[in-house]
Amino acid sequence: MLQQPAASERKGNDTMKAYERLLKYVVVRTPSDENSETVPSSQCQFDLAKILEAEMKELGLKDVHLDDQCYLYGNLPATAGYEDKPAIGFIAHMDTVADFCDHDIVPVLTENYSGEAMEIAESGLILSPEIFPHLASLKGRTLITSDGTTVLGADDKAGIAEILTMIERVQKENVPHGKLCVAFTPDEEIGTGASHFNVKEFGADYAYTMDGDTEGEIQYENFNACKACFDIKGFNVHPGSSKDAMINASLVAIEINNMLPGCETPRGTEEYEGFYHLVSMSGECASAQLNYIVRDHDKNLFEARKKTLSLIAKDLNEKWGEGTVTLTITEQYKNMAEIIAGCMHLIDNAKIACEAADVTPLVIPIRGGTDGCQLSFKGLPCPNLGTGGHAYHGPYEHITVEGMDKSVDVMMELVKLYAK
Ligand SMILES: [Zn+2]
C-alpha cells in the first residue's frame, strides 16, 4: 500500500515524526563510489547535505557549516546553567551503498504489518520471517520498505532523521541539556567516512553514531581490520621445455590459500571469532594476485593472523625463490573497545537510556566496523546505537515507524542523563 507522508496533516506545533523526515531523505539518492578519488566520492551527496544544512538552520542549530568535502556540522548550545555538562555528539552518514541504488527510490509504507511473509510492493521479492526471523516481532507496526527494486536507504538516513527529530523535540519539550553536537558525514559505506572528520570543529566530548540495526542496539566492540594482498610473480617457460624451470604463479596462489586454516572464513566463524576472507583472485602462469581481508576482535590474535601471512610469504619465497611472493598489508580500522574502556559511562548510560525508553538494550559485538572506530582513535570516543532498521545493503532493507520513534526516545533519555 502506497501512502503519502502525513506531514501536511500535522498541526503547527506538533513535532515532526522521524519517519516523515526519513521519507523526505530517502528519495534523494546518495550512493557513494568506491572507485572515485574525490572527496566526497560522489557529488550527489551534496544534494542531501544542502537540504540538511537548511533544515539544521531552521531547527535553530548554531555554527551550521557544510565544508567542501561534504561534512556537515552544527550544534545546539547548552541550556543556561548547563554549560559545564559534557558536550554529547550524534553522528550519522548521508551516503548509501551503490548496489541496488541505480534508479529512483520509492518508499512504501505498510500499516499494521502482519509479521508474516509479505511481497515487497509488486517486486516479486518476499520479505519472509524464514530468512528474517525478527519480522514476527514487528507485527502490528508500520513497516517501511522500498518498492523492492532498490535499497531503502534507512542506512543511514534513519540515523539522520532520528537525530534531527531529537533536536526538535529537545527544544519543543524544553528539556535542559548540555551542548549537543550534530554531524552528518559522507562516504561511510566506502570506509572513509571518518577520514576527513574535524573532531575539533565538531566540539563534542563524546559521541554516538546512529548507524546500527534494531532499536536498543549498543555497539562498542568491533573487529581489528586490515587488507592483505599477495602479488605472485611466476616464471613462464614453454610448457614443453619447462621441467624444473617453470614457476606457475597461479599454482603458488593456490598453495598460499591452502596454507590458511580452511574453516577460518566468514562462513565458518561467528561472534568474536576472526577470519581470513579471500575477496578476489586473479592469475595466470606469469603472475597472480590474491586479495584478502583479515578480521579479529582480539588484538593479539589479529597480530598473529598478520604474522601467519608473513610466514607464508617467507616460506614460499624460500621454496620458489626470493621475490616470488610479495605481501602488502594495509591497516583499515581497530577495535574501539580499548578506547571505550576508559569511558564506559557511554555504554552504561546507553543501557539506562534504553530501559527508560522501554527498549531492551542489546550489547552486541560488531562483525565489522563503524565510523566510530576511527573517531574513537582520533580522540572522540564514539559507540554506535541502533536506529530500528534491518537487512541493510539490499532490496529487503526495512525499518518501522515505531522502531524509529523508540530510537529517538533513547537519544532523548541520553540527553537527559548527560544533563544530570
Ligand atoms: Zn550505515
Side-chain angles (χ1 to χ4, degrees), residues 17 81 275-276 368 402:
K17 300 262 279 174
F275 57 72
Y276 304 93
E402 294 80 357

Side-chain angles (χ1 to χ4, degrees), residues 142-157:
T142 299
L143 192 69
I144 308 174
T145 60
S146 72
D147 64 3
T149 65
T150 62
V151 292
L152 172 61
D155 176 11
D156 185 24
K157 289 161 182 164

Side-chain angles (χ1 to χ4, degrees), residues 1-10 16-17 19-24 26-27 105-111 142-145 401:
M1 159 191 4
L2 274 159
Q3 262 197 1
Q4 286 304 312
S8 53
E9 297 159 23
R10 278 182 304 105
M16 193 168 180
K17 300 262 279 174
Y19 85 94
E20 297 176 272
R21 289 197 160 89
L22 176 71
L23 295 179
K24 275 200 310 183
V26 293
V27 296
I105 292 172
V106 182
V108 177
L109 272 75
T110 305
E111 283 184 336
T142 299
L143 192 69
I144 308 174
T145 60
V401 168

